[in-house]
Amino acid sequence: MSKKQGGLNVTKIPISLLDLASIGEGQSIGEALEASVLLAQRAEANGYQRIWYAEHHNMATIASSATAVLIAHIAAKTSSIRLGSGGIMLPNHSPLVIAEQFGTLASLHPGRIDLGLGRAPGTDQTTVRALRRDPRAAESFPPDVLELQGYLSDSSLIEGVNATPGRGTKVPLFILGSSLFGAQVAAQFGLPFAFASHFAPQDLHQAIAVYRERFQPSQQLEQPYMIAALSVMAADTFEVAQQQFELRRRAWVRSMFSRGRAPLTEEEVDGVLNSSQAVMLDQMFTYTALGTTDQVRAFVDDFQQHTGADELMTVHQAVSPAFRLRSVELLAQAMEVSG
């Protein structure tokens, strides 16, 4: 790429956005979804490559569970930016239903829809049962990917069964992962691979190596295409960025440790953050670009250099919607300066 898209200089590397449609304290679900619309419009205006939405269930702070519905709404409120799933948790669905959903999206918004696929359920085992899914469904992930791909192509793998809409749309597939398994599947099938290093940094470099070494060209992709994710907390001052980061840490603890029980008190959150569990939490945030545009640019440049990623998926998970908007803007400014 050599042209500029809005504020981002994509000659260097495309920058994209992962949005969980976070529900802030005291915020309604409607307000959270409207904030996602505003975030998408701001990202589009600043030249981001794509926005993905993650499928999670039974989480009181995430409103992107009906992922295809949310994509449809935001696609109608934007005009050019690519939109997709990051990801659809395929074990929760039949491949045919996902092909029909994303075939519909691609028919309504040609050339703008991605389909990122994950193997995890995106929830706990109790919720898996509520979804009426077999907990062993993840074991059939590779053949399910191929079946889904067939429905979106011109020839279904299941005789007599076609996806309408879906057939012939050739919606591009991406494999998501936080371990070596996803890297192996993406390499074997010749698909782009996105690694969730924004919360699972441990296997990032090994997964990249496995993916690139084992990649087999396909009709969709001739060369490996690697996307690496990182968190971004960009602000006008380092102090504001640090404050938002601490609020995010506390919100994460409250979300993860309050599942199935009353919300943690501030004292209980302090207890978690002062315990050995905080080490695991801080490890999750290893790849976090924090601070002003100069500080964020330096971190992002270093991250890309060490990963060799073809694209960066950024996660702006500040508690404040206004801060998320500003962080998206400042990252765009930072990457323009770096060009």
Side-chain angles (χ1 to χ4, degrees), residues 17-285:
L17 184 68
L18 176 66
D19 182 13
L20 302 180
S22 299
I23 307 169
E25 187 174 351
Q27 189 178 40
S28 71
I29 292 176
E31 290 169 338
L33 295 175
E34 180 58 28
S36 284
V37 171
L38 294 175
L39 193 69
Q41 292 170 338
R42 189 70 54 87
E44 181 175 73
N46 282 276
Y48 282 69
Q49 180 83 353
R50 67 184 93 241
I51 307 174
W52 283 353
Y53 301 92
E55 177 191 348
H56 290 284
H57 299 280
N58 195 29
M59 297 193 71
T61 59
I62 294 178
S64 55
S65 53
T67 313
V69 178
L70 180 57
I71 293 169
H73 178 67
I74 292 181
K77 301 285 186 176
T78 52
S79 60
S80 60
I81 194 166
R82 295 193 67 89
L83 301 167
S85 58
I88 287 293
M89 301 295 106
L90 195 52
N92 296 342
H93 313 274
S94 75
L96 177 60
V97 168
I98 296 303
E100 291 170 340
Q101 290 178 1
F102 279 77
T104 300
L105 289 169
S107 299
L108 291 170
H109 307 281
R112 294 185 60 200
I113 303 300
D114 302 327
L115 177 48
L117 301 169
R119 182 175 66 126
T123 189
D124 57 86
Q125 291 304 310
T126 301
T127 308
V128 168
R129 290 191 290 272
L131 289 167
R132 301 296 192 269
R133 303 303 296 171
D134 186 336
R136 298 169 297 179
E139 298 172 9
S140 65
F141 180 73
D144 283 351
V145 170
L146 293 179
E147 182 180 338
L148 172 58
Q149 189 176 47
Y151 289 135
L152 294 170
S153 71
D154 295 315
S155 55
S156 170
L157 299 183
I158 309 300
E159 185 176 357
V161 179
N162 293 292
T164 306
R167 183 177 184 178
T169 56
K170 296 182 173 64
V171 176
L173 302 185
F174 297 73
I175 300 298
L176 280 58
S178 57
S179 68
L180 303 186
F181 180 83
Q184 293 167 352
V185 172
Q188 180 184 353
F189 295 163
L191 296 174
F193 178 52
F195 192 86
S197 37
H198 63 295
F199 73 83
Q202 298 91 332
D203 294 330
L204 170 62
H205 293 283
Q206 190 175 359
I208 292 172
V210 166
Y211 173 63
R212 293 195 181 280
E213 290 168 3
R214 302 186 186 182
F215 181 84
Q216 300 177 28
S218 67
Q219 286 188 335
Q220 180 177 327
L221 196 62
E222 293 183 357
Q223 300 291 333
Y225 191 85
M226 173 72 203
I227 302 174
L230 73 159
S231 296
V232 177
M233 293 276 186
D236 293 290
T237 67
F238 177 79
E239 290 73 21
V240 171
Q242 183 67 38
Q243 179 187 53
Q244 287 294 321
F245 178 66
E246 291 303 322
L247 289 173
R248 173 59 192 153
R249 288 176 80 237
R250 298 184 71 84
W252 187 92
V253 169
R254 194 174 292 108
S255 172
M256 295 305 296
F257 289 86
S258 297
R259 183 178 289 180
R261 51 152 288 174
L264 267 63
T265 65
E266 292 301 313
E267 292 74 16
E268 288 172 326
V269 172
D270 288 337
V272 173
L273 292 175
N274 291 323
S275 71
S276 59
Q277 292 170 308
V279 175
M280 177 192 69
L281 171 62
D282 290 334
Q283 185 180 51
M284 287 179 58
F285 291 118

